[in-house]
Amino acid sequence: MLSQVYRSGFQAFRQRLLPWVQSTALSRSPTDRVQPSAIRHVRSWSNIPFITVPLSRTHGKSFAHRSELKHAKRIVVKLGSAVVTRGDECGLALGRLASIVEQVSVLQNQGREMMLVTSGAVAFGKQRLRHEILLSQSVRQALHSGQNQLKEMAIPVLEARACAAAGQSGLMALYEAMFTQYSICAAQILVTNLDFHDEQKRRNLNGTLHELLRMNIVPIVNTNDAVVPPAEPNSDLQGVNVISVKDNDSLAARLAVEMKTDLLIVLSDVEGLFDSPPGSDDAKLIDIFYPGDQQSVTFGTKSRVGMGGMEAKVKAALWALQGGTSVVIANGTHPKVSGHVITDIVEGKKVGTFFSEVKPAGPTVEQQGEMARAGGRMLATLEPEQRAEIIHHLADLLTDQRDEILLANKKDLEEAEGRLAAPLLKRLSLSTSKLNSLAIGLRQIAASSQDSVGRVLRRTRIAKNLELEQVTVPIGVLLVIFESRPDCLPQVAALAIASGNGLLLKGGKEATHSNRILHLLAQEALSIHGVKEAIQLVNTREEVEDLCRLDKMIDLIIPRGSSQLVRDIQKAAKGIPVMGHSEGICHMYVDSEASVDKATRLVRDSKCEYPAACNALETLLIHRDLLRTPLFDQIIDMLRVEQVKIHAGPKFASYLTFSPSEVKSLRTEYGDLELCIEVVDSVQEAIDHIHKYGSSHTDVIVTENEKTAEFFLQHVDSACVFWNASTRFSDGYRFGLGAEVGISTSRIHARGPVGLEGLLTTKWLLRGQDHVVSDFSEHGSLKYLHENLPVPQRNTN
């Protein structure tokens, strides 16, 4: 009878396991859930992009930079016990495993050679043996007690080797079931330390692994914990040829070097290496770790499960790095990132700690962020005259060092020739006139900066001897990302100096030489008052997406470039406000009472003067009464002479027998000599069209009727609304702001061209004399006055 109970219990266990594996809706922690159809519908729900990269590489030296990891062909992924097991240490975190298998499969199907080093056999075996013991004890209890109620049963401590023996087959069956969903075959290999030290066994292991990889099979490697002897401390020999396999960390490192692997990914339950114990208030993640940096790391305790702690992982990683394999240690348990941590690492994103033998000469971007923060705070404490002096000195340097600047710019133009389109080359180009205009604009900023930081906006007497002030202060640290336009650098630098903000600058590669010299001039100007580090130029290989994750260092991101760049940054920024506009769909409405000459002149300037600009005209709205009139014909003739390609809106196309191609979308920013023309019946219809299809950037009415113009100005809800003026006036310099950091279509903080005022926020200063809130209670001795006090007059000189 007892054997029958055992068999029925095991059968029931297997019955539960099979659908458990197939659906992946398995027993796991609440934060580790995936949909039951996750594995069955791989093709439809996978959100990991399929990328094609050159994967041929000669092994020998590790990658120097994260951006090179995308070229890794042979990859080992080590799954720590904390990654594979559930929080209760009994059973597997199968939702995480399903995600890991998916990522490995995607990379395998890209043509890479993937290998897994996995823990989990002990945890799986512990779950299985506990189940068997419970079944056994319940049967004995029922036979001997004669009662229906079972007494509380104690489960004995299970020996790890026995758990490993019981769990290994189940662990492998699970991996096989998961990989099969991706049409990938997996193979199990169990090893011990002796398999690497015995030359014949080592050659056999090497040959087996190479043959499996050749057949596009994923080897799944684990220490043979059922028979492995206890690890001997300090048994490693010197050099890259020998390392004792004491745990799966050392096994993964040994395997990676043995197989000449390009990349080893070690997944644990921490984000990577920290300069102090993880979880402490001052702990900072180390982005890049170099050999010899062990002194900068404080190792904490081991993870909740597993043989090796972080110190063991670092030793194994450094050993693999010495053998020519790049290493990344990252968190494989965080529910928000574990679903793409492996593919993110291979794509070169800033995940975990990257081990590199090449130490850059300059500071990391994190260090630059800290320097910009400290320098910005010092800058904000300077007197307004001192900040103005810095800006004046920078303006002088732009003209005094003109020849050096133009020489550097010439190098950029020569290198960009044939690679950049004509509009981008025009943006990249600097000239004497541009530098002179820059210098004039900077001096305007210097003049307006005299009363910017610390200006009192409001004063209130709360009660007797209790006065409140609202004053302007810098935002903090700005990150400005700009493309092609090196003249943006001194403009933004001057605005940051005037507003007392720290600044991180990320320019395009096409302007490397120009940006470098302009940044050096900015730092030279800052040096006259000892705040050189307030402005930093990011020269490392930081991806924009990685910069957007530095939410603890950056307070505001300002993109300057294409609409695609702005959209990408708005999408990538996590927790950091982005000021800017994703599109510049600018409209001009030509009213029935418009002047022929004015309309033609304004359309030409708005569309043709600089079509690549965000404030260039994209849609021309024509009043229906103007069709087939001299005004309409003159505009069309002018556009034809200027070689502007015309797209017809739906209503405009309906009026024409032979019309231009009908526009695909009325929400198009062309950025070139292309223009959409649409017909409207009234000023109200023009306003409705702008609100429906515009981007709230800049919109214009052309009319001689003042009443119609005022109606348009009051009812169009855009950042800039003009009457009888070109859309191209939407610019900080032209507005008299000296320069702009960009144009914002946001509805909070700044709108339109953003100059000095847009880079300031406020804080409240309260000055009292032992005031407490309880004194203002119903039975207190004091009453609120809330009297408005005069504000000091602003210096407008």
Side-chain angles (χ1 to χ4, degrees):
M1 178 180 176
L2 192 60
S3 61
Q4 288 179 345
V5 172
Y6 276 136
R7 281 197 297 273
S8 63
F10 184 66
Q11 296 262 347
F13 178 76
R14 291 188 60 188
Q15 291 281 340
R16 289 195 301 272
L17 178 64
L18 186 57
W20 199 27
V21 170
Q22 289 176 341
S23 68
T24 73
L26 309 176
S27 180
R28 53 189 176 269
S29 62
T31 59
D32 194 37
R33 301 248 178 232
V34 295
Q35 295 300 317
S37 58
I39 288 186
R40 293 198 300 271
H41 302 292
V42 172
R43 303 297 178 189
S44 61
W45 70 269
S46 173
N47 60 355
I48 298 176
F50 188 93
I51 57 174
T52 303
V53 295
L55 297 178
S56 58
R57 175 176 181 261
T58 302
H59 185 83
K61 286 189 68 66
S62 60
F63 293 118
H65 305 283
R66 281 185 185 269
S67 58
E68 298 172 342
L69 295 180
K70 61 174 65 76
H71 301 297
K73 178 174 176 59
R74 185 171 291 175
I75 302 171
V76 171
V77 179
K78 185 264 177 179
L79 307 179
S81 299
V83 176
V84 176
T85 61
R86 296 184 334 208
D88 60 6
E89 303 175 22
C90 183
L92 304 182
L94 293 161
R96 282 201 295 268
L97 279 183
S99 177
I100 288 168
V101 167
E102 183 210 4
Q103 294 174 78
V104 171
S105 299
V106 167
L107 294 173
Q108 180 84 1
N109 286 329
Q110 289 176 359
R112 305 179 199 269
E113 297 173 343
M114 304 298 296
M115 292 180 276
L116 282 183
V117 174
T118 180
S119 303
V122 173
F124 202 176
K126 185 186 293 186
Q127 181 188 37
R128 188 171 179 179
L129 292 181
R130 279 184 175 181
H131 181 82
E132 296 298 324
I133 291 171
L134 281 172
L135 283 175
S136 172
Q137 288 184 341
S138 64
V139 171
R140 285 198 299 271
Q141 193 74 24
L143 289 174
H144 292 93
S145 69
Q147 300 175 356
N148 292 328
Q149 293 183 347
L150 300 178
K151 296 181 180 179
E152 185 177 346
M153 296 173 290
I155 298 177
V157 177
L158 299 173
E159 204 276 327
R161 289 196 184 93
C163 292
Q168 190 63 50
S169 59
L171 179 65
M172 192 59 202
L174 176 66
Y175 276 121
E176 285 182 341
M178 288 182 172
F179 274 112
T180 298
Q181 306 303 315
Y182 299 87
S183 302
I184 290 177
C185 181
Q188 180 185 38
I189 297 178
L190 297 177
V191 296
T192 66
N193 199 29
L194 297 176
D195 295 318
F196 289 99
H197 287 277
D198 184 282
E199 185 61 28
Q200 184 59 50
K201 289 183 177 181
R202 192 170 69 87
R203 283 200 300 268
N204 291 343
L205 174 62
N206 193 295
T208 300
L209 288 168
H210 276 96
E211 185 63 15
L212 292 173
L213 294 176
R214 187 186 66 82
M215 293 187 293
N216 201 35
I217 295 173
V218 175
I220 299 177
V221 187
N222 196 359
T223 52
N224 193 349
D225 294 324
V227 300
V228 68
E232 297 180 14
N234 303 319
S235 60
D236 296 350
L237 301 180
Q238 298 296 319
V240 299
N241 295 321
V242 179
I243 184 173
S244 296
V245 176
K246 300 184 287 291
D247 48 42
N248 276 340
D249 295 317
S250 52
L251 168 61
R254 182 63 194 261
L255 180 68
V257 174
E258 189 75 28
M259 294 298 294
K260 295 182 171 58
T261 300
D262 299 319
L263 173 61
L264 167 61
I265 299 174
V266 179
L267 296 184
S268 180
D269 57 353
V270 293
E271 280 74 12
L273 301 187
F274 289 81
D275 58 0
S276 56
S280 61
D281 292 339
D282 298 327
K284 294 180 181 177
L285 180 67
I286 298 174
D287 173 42
I288 305 177
F289 189 80
Y290 307 98
D293 279 357
Q294 290 92 322
Q295 296 80 7
S296 65
V297 179
T298 303
F299 295 106
T301 58
K302 295 195 300 182
S303 66
R304 56 179 174 79
V305 287
M307 296 289 293
M310 186 56 73
E311 188 170 6
K313 290 176 175 56
V314 172
K315 288 182 178 179
L318 291 174
W319 190 87
L321 188 68
Q322 186 183 2
T325 295
S326 296
V327 183
V328 175
I329 296 178
N331 190 338
T333 64
H334 196 293
K336 290 186 178 180
V337 298
S338 59
H340 45 79
V341 59
I342 298 173
T343 50
D344 278 355
I345 290 171
V346 175
E347 288 172 14
K349 296 180 180 178
K350 286 186 83 170
V351 178
T353 299
F354 172 63
F355 285 69
S356 175
E357 290 187 302
V358 180
K359 197 163 187 173
T364 65
V365 69
E366 289 81 5
Q367 292 169 332
Q368 287 186 297
E370 291 174 356
M371 289 189 288
R373 174 79 68 188
R377 285 173 175 160
M378 291 178 61
L379 185 63
T381 63
L382 296 179
E383 294 297 325
E385 295 78 12
Q386 293 175 307
R387 288 192 293 271
E389 187 181 352
I390 294 172
I391 300 170
H392 276 295
H393 188 47
L394 177 57
D396 293 338
L397 289 172
L398 290 179
T399 53
D400 295 344
Q401 305 293 326
R402 177 180 58 247
D403 293 341
E404 289 81 355
I405 296 170
L406 295 179
L407 181 61
N409 185 244
K410 183 181 178 182
K411 291 181 182 179
D412 288 325
L413 290 169
E414 289 173 349
E415 293 175 7
E417 192 68 40
R419 294 191 299 109
L420 291 183
L424 292 179
L425 280 174
K426 186 176 180 181
R427 287 187 178 188
L428 179 59
S429 175
L430 292 176
S431 63
T432 300
S433 61
K434 269 191 179 182
L435 293 176
N436 290 335
S437 296
L438 276 174
I440 294 170
L442 264 58
R443 292 188 177 97
Q444 289 179 350
I445 295 172
S448 62
S449 70
Q450 294 293 327
D451 190 22
S452 55
V453 180
R455 178 162 54 91
V456 179
L457 301 179
R458 178 185 302 178
R459 293 180 65 223
T460 305
R461 180 177 287 119
I462 303 295
K464 185 179 179 181
N465 296 324
L466 183 63
E467 294 187 1
L468 178 69
E469 285 184 348
Q470 185 184 22
V471 300
T472 58
V473 293
I475 289 175
V477 175
L478 314 175
L479 168 62
V480 178
I481 302 169
F482 56 101
E483 294 176 326
S484 298
R485 293 180 54 177
D487 54 325
C488 174
L489 193 153
Q491 291 177 334
V492 173
L495 288 169
I497 294 166
S499 58
N501 284 289
L503 179 62
L504 285 176
L505 292 158
K506 175 66 173 175
K509 296 177 183 177
E510 65 280 357
T512 298
H513 302 292
S514 304
N515 289 338
R516 184 180 295 120
I517 188 169
L518 290 170
H519 175 247
L520 288 174
L521 296 179
Q523 290 200 314
E524 182 179 337
L526 287 162
S527 298
I528 65 175
H529 288 295
V531 286
K532 176 182 176 181
E533 294 182 343
I535 297 179
Q536 300 286 325
L537 179 65
V538 179
N539 287 316
T540 57
R541 298 193 179 192
E542 300 291 337
E543 298 294 333
V544 168
E545 187 173 341
D546 294 327
L547 290 172
C548 292
R549 293 194 180 106
L550 300 177
D551 57 313
K552 293 182 180 179
M553 299 178 182
I554 297 167
D555 298 295
L556 179 66
I557 302 175
I558 305 172
R560 293 282 301 267
S562 65
S563 58
Q564 186 61 51
L565 171 72
V566 179
R567 282 194 294 268
D568 289 345
I569 291 172
Q570 289 173 333
K571 183 178 179 180
K574 305 297 183 183
I576 308 176
V578 178
M579 184 166 66
H581 63 281
S582 59
E583 293 174 309
I585 305 175
C586 301
H587 293 76
M588 180 177 288
Y589 166 57
V590 181
D591 185 53
S592 59
E593 298 181 64
S595 161
V596 175
D597 293 336
K598 285 182 183 178
T600 305
R601 179 176 165 83
L602 291 172
V603 172
R604 178 190 287 111
D605 189 77
S606 297
K607 178 74 260 184
C608 307
E609 197 266 341
Y610 191 6
C614 64
N615 57 14
L617 177 64
E618 305 295 1
T619 299
L620 178 63
L621 301 176
I622 301 284
H623 193 283
R624 180 185 58 183
D625 293 347
L626 296 178
L627 292 178
R628 302 181 181 89
T629 66
L631 185 151
F632 178 77
D633 293 340
Q634 188 167 317
I635 291 175
I636 295 298
D637 290 342
M638 179 274 296
L639 293 174
R640 185 179 297 112
V641 170
E642 297 288 346
Q643 298 182 333
V644 177
K645 182 179 181 181
I646 296 175
H647 303 275
K651 287 187 69 174
F652 181 44
S654 67
Y655 282 100
L656 304 174
T657 306
F658 299 100
S659 66
S661 61
E662 186 170 339
V663 69
K664 294 180 180 178
S665 171
L666 290 168
R667 291 191 181 93
T668 302
E669 181 181 13
Y670 298 103
D672 205 347
L673 287 174
E674 296 184 60
L675 181 68
C676 172
I677 297 180
E678 181 59 309
V679 173
V680 292
D681 293 338
S682 65
V683 64
Q684 184 60 59
E685 189 174 331
I687 293 170
D688 293 341
H689 180 103
I690 291 169
H691 287 165
K692 184 174 182 178
Y693 299 109
S695 60
S696 300
H697 191 294
T698 302
D699 298 293
V700 175
I701 182 172
V702 182
T703 185
E704 297 302 301
N705 188 313
E706 182 177 355
K707 185 177 179 181
T708 303
E710 288 299 327
F711 184 85
F712 185 90
L713 294 175
Q714 296 303 319
H715 286 80
V716 172
D717 188 20
S718 296
C720 300
V721 189
F722 302 161
W723 171 24
N724 286 350
S726 169
T727 60
R728 296 277 291 119
F729 277 105
S730 182
D731 174 83
Y733 175 74
R734 297 178 184 123
F735 275 18
L737 304 178
E740 66 181 42
V741 292
I743 293 181
S744 172
T745 56
S746 172
R747 297 184 182 274
I748 56 174
H749 196 54
R751 288 191 84 193
V754 180
L756 176 57
E757 298 287 341
L759 299 181
L760 297 171
T761 184
T762 64
K763 70 178 180 182
W764 297 91
L765 305 177
L766 184 64
R767 297 177 176 91
Q769 293 182 3
D770 193 31
H771 287 81
V772 292
V773 170
S774 58
D775 287 342
F776 294 86
S777 64
E778 184 178 355
H779 302 292
S781 60
L782 296 177
K783 300 294 181 183
Y784 290 111
L785 300 177
H786 292 152
E787 296 176 358
N788 291 328
L789 298 176
V791 173
Q793 290 299 309
R794 184 178 181 185
N795 178 13
T796 57
N797 294 327

